[in-house]
Amino acid sequence: MIYTMKKVNQSSLFSFGFKTGQANQQALSQSNPTMAEVKVATKAQDFGLEISDKQAYSSSLTPPPPSSNEALTSAIKRPTPNHFSPPPAKRTSAGSSSPLEGSTIIVAVPDIPGRIVRGSDDEDGESDSSLEDLSVLLQTQRPDGASNLNPSLKVASTPAPSKSTRASNSKFHTSPLAVLPKYKFDMKSLATNTKKDDAIEASSKRFKAIDDFKPLKDITNRSTLSRHTNLLESVVAETDGAELHKVTRAIKRTEATLPEFRFYFFETQPKSPKSEKHPFPNKAISPAWRDELKDPLIRYQTFVSGFAEDMVGMGKALPDEIFLWMLNEICIESDDVLRTSYCNVLRQSHDQIKRLVVPETVRNMFSELRAQSSSIDLDQKVRTVPELPTPYPKLEWANLRTAVRLFGIISKTLQQDARTHIVCMLLRMSLDRAAFDNIDVFDMVQETLFRLCRYVPSPSWNKVCTDICTCLLASVEEPTLRLHMVDIIPSTSPRTHDLRRRLAMTFYFKDTIYSTKDGHSTMDLTKFIARLDDEDFDTDSETDYRELGALISLLDVAVDDGRNVNIDLKNEQTEKEFDNAVEGFSAAIDDIIECIGNPGAGFISKIEAKEVLSLVSRRIGDTVRSRPKPKETVFKAPKEKLLENLDRERRGMSKFISRPKDT
C-alpha cells in the first residue's frame, strides 16, 4: 500500500522512515540499491541521518517483505545501532526552512491485513494508532550517550499530537492533599486586626481623657505630652496586667517619654495678631515744634532726615509725651529707618532719659513687645512648661533687637536703678531658648550687658551685683535655668567676668553673701569640697542628672582659678597645703562619678552628667594647682639613687684591674 502525505513534519518523517528501514532491512537482499533507494538515502543524508553500508531504506518501488506483523513489531522495538542528531534545518533561497516543505512525499508502508492507518489530520475521538508515539519510543529507547549531546544541536520537538494522544500521555503525579488557595487577608486576620485597632484607640482615649482634666492654662501642653506618649501607647496597647506594668516601667527608665520643659518670656498665644499703634500726641506739640511735627508727612521727613536729632542735640528738647511716644513706637514700628531715627533722637535727650526711663517704663516697653505679665514681674518665680514646636509664629524680632540696642546706647545716661532693672530683665529674657537661639538677639543682649556693666560707677558696683544676684536667686530655682543665665553673661571684660562669677557662686552655695565681694576675696576650697557632701549631689534612683550636671558646671564657673588674695602661695608649706586641697577637691568629684556607675544608652542624662564631672575634675586638677603635677617616669632615677654608696663596687673593680696577667 502506498499513501500520500503532504507537509509532514520533518521529525515525524525521520522517525517513521528510520524505523521502517530497520524493519525492512531483514527482508531486503544484498543486491545493488535501486534508484528509489538512492533517493531515499540522499534525502536522509540531507536531514542529518547517518546510513551505513549494510543499511538500506526501502522506497515505494521496493516490494514489501513477506514477513508478518510480528516482523514489523520486532523491528520497531529493536534499539537503533546508530545515533544521530540532525543539525538545524538550512533555509533555502526561497525562505523555506526545509527542502521538503510544501512537497509531496511518498512513503512505503508494509501491507498488513486488517490494519487501517489514519491520517494525522483526523481528529476523531478514537486513537489514531494502536502504537505509541514514535518520538516517545525513540526517546525511551535511545542509549544514555544520546542525552549527552550538545543541546544547541538538538532539533525541535515533534508537533503536538492529537487530542486522543494528549489525553493518553498526560499522566501527572498529583498530591493526595487538597491544594487550598492562600489569601493575603482572610476573615480571621481581618477580625484580629480590627480588635487590635480598637484596643489602640481605646488606650489613646484613656490617655487623652487624663489630659482633659487639666486646667485651661495648660491646654498648650497636651500637644507636647501626646508626642512623648505615642511610643508608650503603641507598646502597651496590646498588653495588660503585670506585663503592662513591666513594659511601662521599662520605657520610663529609658527617658524616652520625658518631655522637654522650656520657659517662654513672650506670649505664645497673643490675643491680637499685631499691636495697635498709639496716635501721635498732637496736643503735646510745643510751639517750637509745631511746624515740623503737625503734618504727618512733614513729621516723617523731620525724623528720617536727621533734622530732629540735630535740633535735640543743640538743646531744643522734645516734649515728654513725644519722648514716651517714641519709646513705644520703637517696639511697634515696622519701618527700620524710622525706628533707627527714633533711637538717634532719644540718644540725644539726656535729661529726659534720666527722668523718664525708669523701671516702670522698661516694663511697659517689654509689654509692647508682647512679653507676658508674669515674665516682666521680677518678683514672680520662673515657671517652665513643656516645649512647644512653634512658640512665636508672629513675633517681630526686629523690634526686640532695636529695643535692646537702645538700652545699650543710653546705658551711660540711665539711673542706677533703671540700669539694674534692665540687666535683670535681659537675664530673665535669656532663659527663653527661642530668644537665646536667635543669634542676632543673642549678640545684641551680650553687647548691651557689657555696656550696662561698664558704666556702673565703681563705688556702686558691689551693691549692683548684690541686687542682681538677690533678685535672680529668689526668682529662678532650677539649676539648669541658673546655668543658662550664667552662660549668657560674657566674660570678655573684667566687670562682666566678675558678675558672672559672683552669680555662679551665689547659685552654687545658695547664699547672697558671695555676691557682696569679688570671687578672689570669698574663694575657699574647703567650703567648695564640703558643699559636695550635701544631698543635692547624692546619686540615687530619684536623682535628676540634668540638674546635677548643671550644678557641677556652676561649680566650674565659681571656682575659676581657685586663688584667694589672702593666701600666699610663695610660702612652700602654704603652697603644699593648697595643692593637697586641690587634689582632694578633684578626688571628691571623682567619687561622684563612681557613684553614677556605667549607665546604658537609654540614660543620656547620666552620660552627660558623667562627662561634665570628668571634664571639671580634670580641669581643676590640672589648672588650679600652683604648679603642674610632677611627672612620674621609670627612666628618670629618683634623687635618693644618686647618694647611694658605691665604695664596695669600686674596690672590687680596682682589685680586678690590678690582678697580674698570667705569663
Side-chain angles (χ1 to χ4, degrees):
M1 296 175 62
I2 299 175
Y3 298 93
T4 303
M5 302 174 62
K6 295 184 178 181
K7 298 183 179 180
V8 181
N9 186 275
Q10 296 176 7
S11 301
S12 300
L13 178 62
F14 298 156
S15 303
F16 189 81
F18 184 70
K19 291 298 181 180
T20 305
Q22 283 186 339
N24 295 337
Q25 185 176 6
Q26 299 176 357
L28 293 177
S29 61
Q30 300 298 329
S31 60
N32 296 331
T34 61
M35 184 61 66
E37 293 173 350
V38 173
K39 290 182 179 181
V40 172
T42 304
K43 293 296 183 179
Q45 291 178 0
D46 293 340
F47 287 94
L49 298 176
E50 298 180 2
I51 304 177
S52 62
D53 296 336
K54 296 181 180 182
Q55 187 178 10
Y57 295 90
S58 62
S59 67
S60 59
L61 301 178
T62 305
S67 61
S68 63
N69 191 18
E70 290 77 5
L72 178 60
T73 305
S74 62
I76 293 176
K77 293 183 178 179
R78 185 183 301 116
T80 57
N82 298 325
H83 307 301
F84 62 92
S85 178
K90 300 180 180 180
R91 300 187 63 87
T92 59
S93 59
S96 61
S97 61
S98 174
L100 298 178
E101 186 176 353
S103 61
T104 302
I105 302 175
I106 302 175
V107 182
V109 181
D111 189 5
I112 302 175
R115 182 176 180 82
I116 300 176
V117 181
R118 298 178 180 272
S120 61
D121 294 336
D122 296 338
E123 299 293 341
D124 296 338
E126 301 294 336
S127 175
D128 292 344
S129 175
S130 61
L131 298 177
E132 292 183 311
D133 190 19
L134 295 179
S135 61
V136 177
L137 293 175
L138 288 175
Q139 184 69 23
T140 56
Q141 296 180 7
R142 184 175 300 173
D144 297 337
S147 61
N148 299 328
L149 297 177
N150 190 357
S152 62
L153 300 178
K154 294 182 181 181
V155 298
S157 61
T158 58
S162 60
K163 294 180 179 179
S164 59
T165 305
R166 289 195 301 267
S168 62
N169 294 334
S170 301
K171 297 179 180 180
F172 300 99
H173 297 283
T174 59
S175 174
L177 301 177
V179 180
L180 300 177
K182 295 183 178 180
Y183 301 99
K184 186 175 182 181
F185 299 103
D186 54 1
M187 295 300 296
K188 185 177 180 180
S189 62
L190 291 176
T192 304
N193 294 337
T194 303
K195 292 181 180 179
K196 292 181 179 180
D197 294 340
D198 294 341
I200 294 174
E201 185 177 359
S203 176
S204 178
K205 289 181 179 179
R206 289 196 301 269
F207 278 96
K208 294 179 180 179
I210 296 174
D211 293 339
D212 290 340
F213 291 99
K214 293 185 178 181
L216 184 61
K217 62 179 180 181
D218 294 335
I219 191 171
T220 58
N221 304 345
R222 286 200 290 263
S223 60
T224 304
L225 293 177
S226 61
R227 288 182 300 167
H228 293 280
T229 54
N230 286 337
L231 176 62
L232 184 61
E233 292 181 21
S234 61
V235 174
V236 305
E238 303 176 6
T239 58
D240 53 357
E243 189 68 21
L244 174 62
H245 181 63
K246 292 181 180 179
V247 172
T248 305
R249 289 180 56 191
I251 294 178
K252 288 183 177 180
R253 284 198 302 268
T254 60
E255 302 178 354
T257 58
L258 295 180
E260 293 289 340
F261 288 87
R262 296 284 184 265
F263 168 72
Y264 294 107
F265 185 82
F266 302 96
E267 296 179 356
T268 56
Q269 294 179 344
K271 300 179 181 179
S272 59
K274 190 175 182 180
S275 300
E276 297 180 358
K277 289 187 177 182
H278 300 279
F280 186 79
N282 292 315
K283 297 181 179 180
I285 299 176
S286 61
W289 290 96
R290 187 175 302 276
D291 297 337
E292 293 84 1
L293 303 179
K294 186 67 175 179
D295 185 77
L297 184 59
I298 299 176
R299 181 170 63 245
Y300 177 81
Q301 294 296 331
T302 301
F303 285 107
V304 172
S305 63
F307 178 77
E309 178 185 357
D310 296 337
M311 297 303 295
V312 172
M314 289 186 294
K316 188 179 179 180
L318 289 169
D320 292 348
E321 293 80 2
I322 298 179
F323 179 87
L324 296 175
W325 177 84
M326 285 190 295
L327 287 176
N328 293 330
E329 286 297 306
I330 286 175
C331 305
I332 302 173
E333 181 60 49
S334 59
D335 190 350
D336 295 340
V337 178
L338 196 55
R339 288 201 311 270
T340 304
S341 302
Y342 291 156
C343 290
N344 295 333
V345 174
L346 294 173
R347 181 175 57 180
Q348 301 296 332
S349 306
H350 303 289
D351 180 66
Q352 292 172 323
I353 292 174
K354 292 181 180 180
R355 293 187 296 105
L356 300 178
V357 181
V358 293
E360 183 64 25
T361 307
V362 176
R363 286 193 292 269
N364 293 335
M365 291 181 64
F366 277 101
S367 180
E368 293 291 343
L369 291 169
R370 298 296 185 83
Q372 300 184 35
S373 58
S374 59
S375 300
I376 59 179
D377 188 359
L378 299 181
D379 295 333
Q380 291 194 15
K381 293 185 177 181
V382 173
R383 303 295 182 185
T384 57
V385 296
E387 183 182 7
L388 300 176
T390 53
Y392 307 130
K394 299 179 180 180
L395 184 63
E396 297 293 340
W397 297 105
N399 297 95
L400 177 61
R401 292 195 301 269
T402 305
V404 175
R405 177 174 173 268
L406 176 64
F407 294 144
I409 293 174
I410 64 177
S411 59
K412 187 176 182 179
T413 317
L414 288 171
Q415 292 290 338
Q416 188 54 51
D417 57 346
R419 195 181 288 117
T420 303
H421 191 86
I422 293 174
V423 170
C424 294
M425 191 72 71
L426 292 179
L427 291 177
R428 195 179 176 97
M429 185 187 70
S430 66
L431 298 177
D432 191 346
R433 278 284 184 178
F436 181 81
D437 294 339
N438 191 317
I439 188 61
D440 296 330
V441 176
F442 175 77
D443 291 341
M444 195 61 64
V445 168
Q446 287 197 328
E447 179 65 22
T448 302
L449 289 174
F450 166 74
R451 288 176 173 270
L452 291 170
C453 295
R454 176 185 178 184
Y455 294 114
V456 174
S458 298
S460 305
W461 175 246
N462 289 334
K463 184 179 183 304
V464 169
C465 292
T466 303
D467 294 342
I468 294 174
C469 294
T470 303
C471 175
L472 297 178
L473 179 64
S475 59
V476 182
E477 296 180 349
E478 298 183 11
T480 53
L481 296 179
R482 290 176 174 179
L483 175 63
H484 191 72
M485 190 179 296
V486 170
D487 289 339
I488 198 66
I489 302 175
S491 58
T492 55
S493 66
R495 283 284 181 89
T496 56
H497 182 79
D498 186 24
L499 175 62
R500 186 171 184 263
R501 187 179 181 184
R502 292 191 190 196
L503 187 61
M505 294 182 72
T506 302
F507 287 154
Y508 179 74
F509 289 103
K510 299 180 181 179
D511 193 352
T512 58
I513 192 63
Y514 294 93
S515 64
T516 57
K517 297 180 181 180
D518 62 281
H520 291 94
S521 301
T522 58
M523 181 65 196
D524 190 354
L525 283 178
T526 57
K527 293 182 178 180
F528 275 89
I529 298 173
R531 176 76 172 91
L532 294 176
D533 296 332
D534 294 347
E535 60 180 6
D536 294 337
F537 296 91
D538 293 341
T539 55
D540 50 28
S541 59
E542 302 297 332
T543 302
D544 189 341
Y545 288 93
R546 294 176 180 171
E547 295 184 357
L548 177 61
L551 285 174
I552 297 299
S553 298
L554 289 173
L555 178 148
D556 186 28
V557 177
V559 170
D560 199 61
D561 60 352
R563 300 294 192 272
N564 191 302
V565 294
N566 299 322
I567 297 179
D568 184 14
L569 296 179
K570 294 181 180 180
N571 188 343
E572 184 177 354
Q573 183 64 25
T574 305
E575 179 185 6
K576 186 176 180 179
E577 293 177 356
F578 178 79
D579 291 341
N580 292 336
V582 173
E583 292 295 331
F585 193 12
S586 179
I589 298 176
D590 292 337
D591 293 340
I592 301 177
I593 298 177
E594 294 180 359
C595 294
I596 296 177
N598 297 320
F603 303 92
I604 187 64
S605 61
K606 289 185 178 182
I607 297 175
E608 292 177 349
K610 286 191 65 175
E611 291 179 355
V612 172
L613 286 166
S614 178
L615 291 174
V616 173
S617 175
R618 284 184 292 176
R619 206 277 298 179
I620 292 175
D622 295 339
T623 63
V624 178
R625 290 176 55 93
S626 60
R627 62 181 61 186
K629 289 182 180 180
K631 296 182 179 179
E632 298 180 0
T633 175
V634 297
F635 299 102
K636 184 178 180 181
K639 295 181 180 181
E640 290 77 5
K641 197 71 175 179
L642 300 177
L643 303 177
E644 185 178 358
N645 188 7
L646 301 177
D647 294 338
R648 180 180 178 183
E649 286 79 2
R650 292 192 187 96
R651 289 194 302 268
M653 183 60 64
S654 300
K655 184 178 180 181
F656 175 77
I657 295 174
S658 62
R659 181 179 301 175
K661 296 182 179 180
D662 296 337
T663 56

